[in-house]
Amino acid sequence: MFGNKDKNNKTQELEKPPTSFSNPAAPVVPKAAAGKDGKLPKSSSTTLIARDTEIFGDIKFSGNLEIEGSVHGNITANPSVDAAIRVLEDGHVEGDIHVPRANINGHIKGNVHASALELAAKARVEGNVHYETLEMLKGAQINGNLVYAENGVATRPQKQSGNS
């Protein structure tokens, strides 16, 4: 009667999976359009996945994401804002990460794609690391390839010592 046709369409729209922010298969998260001042818009929101929390499924976020618990799924940041992820010492991610900025001090089982990446002393990455800038502290471990991405485009893998 009153918009039954629209009501049915809304129900059908809700059943569709949500659209992604970008192509998560891209080598590095695409750079967003900067504002008039040349900077990305900032989001002040912070999402915390607390210790003893387990999440099964992909996460798409804006702002800051801090992980102290476990995530079993891919993590993708909205490229239209200056987003960042922090995986704290007890944090565990089993899946690929696609973010502009990452600070890792926990365990990652998957590939990491970040323009700016910091690996702290207790970081453990089991997968390839795609980066534009990388800071790695003594004690951090990577079991995979380091792939330099100039201007967001992945280039050839860097040779690792001992794999000649």
Side-chain angles (χ1 to χ4, degrees):
M1 187 162 139
F2 290 107
N4 284 340
K5 186 176 182 182
D6 290 334
K7 185 177 180 182
N8 290 338
N9 286 344
K10 287 181 182 177
T11 303
Q12 289 173 356
E13 287 178 18
L14 293 176
E15 293 172 1
K16 293 179 186 176
T19 58
S20 64
F21 290 119
S22 65
N23 177 7
V28 172
V29 174
K31 294 192 178 190
K36 292 179 183 178
D37 60 355
K39 295 183 180 178
L40 292 176
K42 292 193 178 206
S43 174
S44 61
S45 65
T46 298
T47 302
L48 171 65
I49 298 173
R51 185 172 299 166
D52 297 329
T53 301
E54 264 187 289
I55 294 183
F56 293 89
D58 294 346
I59 297 175
K60 295 178 178 124
F61 74 99
S62 296
N64 299 306
L65 175 63
E66 294 190 2
I67 300 174
E68 286 184 292
S70 296
V71 175
H72 303 273
N74 298 325
I75 299 174
T76 305
N78 182 348
S80 64
V81 296
D82 186 24
I85 186 172
R86 283 183 50 201
V87 181
L88 302 171
E89 187 175 333
D90 293 328
H92 180 85
V93 175
E94 206 168 303
D96 290 348
I97 297 175
H98 298 266
V99 294
R101 293 182 299 123
N103 183 311
I104 298 172
N105 197 26
H107 186 231
I108 309 295
K109 205 177 230 185
N111 298 323
V112 177
H113 302 262
S115 295
L117 176 63
E118 295 177 26
L119 298 174
K122 296 195 177 187
R124 306 290 178 264
V125 179
E126 295 179 42
N128 296 331
V129 174
H130 301 258
Y131 66 95
E132 195 170 333
T133 61
L134 174 66
E135 180 179 339
M136 186 171 168
L137 295 178
K138 180 180 179 181
Q141 296 178 8
I142 298 173
N143 187 11
N145 292 318
L146 292 175
V147 182
Y148 176 69
E150 186 174 0
N151 297 323
V153 179
T155 58
R156 69 187 192 287
Q158 300 292 323
K159 289 184 181 179
Q160 292 181 326
S161 61
N163 287 349
S164 298

